[in-house]
Amino acid sequence: METGYTVEQLRVAAADAVRAPSLHNVQPWRFRLRDGGIEVLLDPRRGLPATDPSGWGARVAGGAALFNLRLALAVAGNPATVRLRPYPAEPTVLARLVPDLPRRPTPTEQNLHAAIHRRLSNRAPFWPDPVPADTRWRLGEAARAEHCWLELLIGVSAVTAFAEIARGAHRVLERDPAYRAERLTWVRAEPAPDGVPALAGGPQAEPQDLLPSRGFGGAPRAPGRDFEPEPLVAVLGSAGNTAVDQVVAGQALQRVLLTATDSGLSVSMLSQPIEVPSAREQLRMSLGRFGTPQMVMRIGFGRPGRPTPRRPVDETLDLPVHLG
Ligand SMILES: Cc1cc2nc3c(=O)[nH]c(=O)nc-3n(C[C@H](O)[C@H](O)[C@H](O)COP(=O)(O)O)c2cc1C
């Protein structure tokens, strides 16, 4: 393709991109067509000043949306070459995608693409069944394919040590009234195009829970439906922690999540220990890894979860006036 991407290609690909996860489902992205390239931008009106003052979460979400865009373009036979943060003077532009040589999609691209609209955060308790070794390996490969690492915490003592770090971070965050108030503004009791519906928010936390959960207004859980006693906890990390590293981590996150979905697994995310710098450093040291932890996931086999809504795709597009 010599002439660049079209508005129609952008619309189709953006409909997949917006299914990416984002903190509190704020959907902090925009997409535009510029000189034949598709660009992914952060929407400054959709920041979370109390929860995500550095913009880490928005860049990770933008990276996840970018991964979906890449897949959508690839399965349509028009894969992209990607440049991250292409304009130093415009830090809100996370990526620019220009057409590469047309080719058939690979089976992996097709499978991951097919998982985009099935993937969701499942905050309910999972079954105790262990995740098979070959699936664990696939998850690690997914992270490595996107230049990141995935550390699976094996054994009760590793998970217990992690849980202590996570609960400590949760307590630190919950002490901040602005952080608590901001979360409540994104909990939805009524249908809305963004935010977390109470039904998708997982059950209310209880004192016996090993891992902390963000309160999204969920109902008390049914008797006997406690969380699995030995959850599979996975930490995703990147080589560094620049803005570009965070976009890279977002792409790797989405690849891991889609690989998990394609493998029949459920996942929930917990980022409290990433958001508190001292907890993040403790986590990094406990793993004995170089680089920076960027996300923590609880992975297992669950009942079907509840999807969250998205804004209409056209609300996320910046189109040239004569094409809009
Ligand atoms: C950077 C980032 C951090 C997140 N942190 C948490 C978290 O700490 N707890 C949680 O329950 N969900 C977390 N999520 C998941 C979002 O709440 C979820 O993606 C969003 O509500 C959209 O729902 P979906 O994943 O089902 O599409 C996080 C997602 C992202 C991208």
Side-chain angles (χ1 to χ4, degrees):
M1 190 190 295
E2 283 163 17
T3 49
Y5 289 120
T6 64
V7 171
E8 199 38 42
Q9 285 172 316
L10 166 60
R11 272 211 173 93
V12 170
D16 288 334
V18 299
R19 289 308 314 171
S22 58
L23 252 175
H24 299 358
N25 197 22
V26 295
Q27 307 164 39
W29 39 64
R30 297 199 65 76
F31 308 96
R32 75 179 176 200
L33 203 57
R34 197 194 223 187
D35 302 329
I38 293 176
E39 296 182 347
V40 182
L41 293 87
L42 290 183
D43 185 339
R45 291 162 305 179
R46 296 196 149 256
L48 291 168
T51 312
D52 185 28
S54 70
W56 154 83
R59 284 186 288 274
V60 169
L66 165 62
F67 187 71
N68 282 3
L69 262 188
R70 283 170 49 200
L71 281 179
L73 295 167
V75 298
N78 302 302
T81 297
V82 181
R83 256 175 64 213
L84 298 182
R85 298 253 292 185
Y87 317 118
E90 283 182 74
T92 58
V93 184
L94 296 186
R96 175 172 169 80
L97 296 85
V98 295
D100 201 343
L101 290 179
R103 62 162 171 80
R104 279 173 197 276
T106 64
T108 301
E109 285 167 337
Q110 283 172 320
N111 293 339
L112 295 182
H113 180 258
I116 287 177
H117 290 262
R118 282 186 280 127
R119 184 215 61 82
L120 47 78
S121 298
N122 187 339
R123 300 180 181 84
F126 299 155
W127 305 115
D129 310 51
V131 176
D134 59 332
T135 312
R136 293 174 188 228
W137 182 83
R138 270 188 81 195
L139 298 173
E141 277 298 293
R144 283 189 286 280
E146 298 299 323
H147 316 290
C148 285
W149 46 262
L150 191 74
E151 192 75 41
L152 302 178
L153 305 188
I154 309 289
V156 183
S157 60
V159 175
T160 310
F162 164 75
E164 213 162 289
I165 297 173
R167 287 197 305 264
H170 183 72
R171 280 194 298 272
V172 169
L173 293 170
E174 289 290 327
R175 278 204 289 268
D176 177 359
Y179 164 92
R180 293 200 306 271
E182 193 166 72
R183 182 182 63 237
L184 289 179
T185 64
W186 291 93
V187 176
R188 305 283 187 237
E190 304 294 332
D194 54 14
V196 182
L199 277 176
Q204 254 172 39
E206 290 189 14
Q208 71 272 24
D209 294 349
L210 184 63
L211 300 174
S213 43
R214 280 195 147 119
F216 287 117
R221 73 193 66 155
R225 281 289 284 153
D226 261 349
F227 282 89
E228 60 282 9
E230 268 188 61
L232 176 61
V233 173
V235 183
L236 176 80
S238 56
N241 197 25
T242 64
V244 165
D245 289 316
Q246 294 167 1
V247 181
V248 168
Q251 294 179 86
L253 170 67
Q254 186 64 0
R255 188 162 185 148
V256 171
L257 294 174
L258 294 177
T259 302
T261 303
D262 183 49
S263 308
L265 292 167
S266 293
V267 182
S268 67
M269 286 172 254
L270 57 157
S271 55
Q272 296 94 325
I274 307 294
E275 292 163 38
V276 176
S278 57
R280 195 184 217 182
E281 180 56 13
Q282 253 183 303
L283 177 58
R284 188 189 70 76
M285 303 249 292
S286 73
L287 299 175
R289 299 234 36 159
F290 291 111
T292 310
Q294 297 284 0
M295 182 54 77
V296 183
M297 287 163 269
R298 178 179 66 100
I299 304 175
F301 293 98
R303 297 182 188 188
R306 303 274 190 156
T308 50
R310 294 295 185 273
R311 291 176 294 146
V313 173
D314 276 3
E315 278 184 25
T316 66
L317 304 180
D318 286 332
L319 297 176
V321 176
H322 65 283
L323 290 171

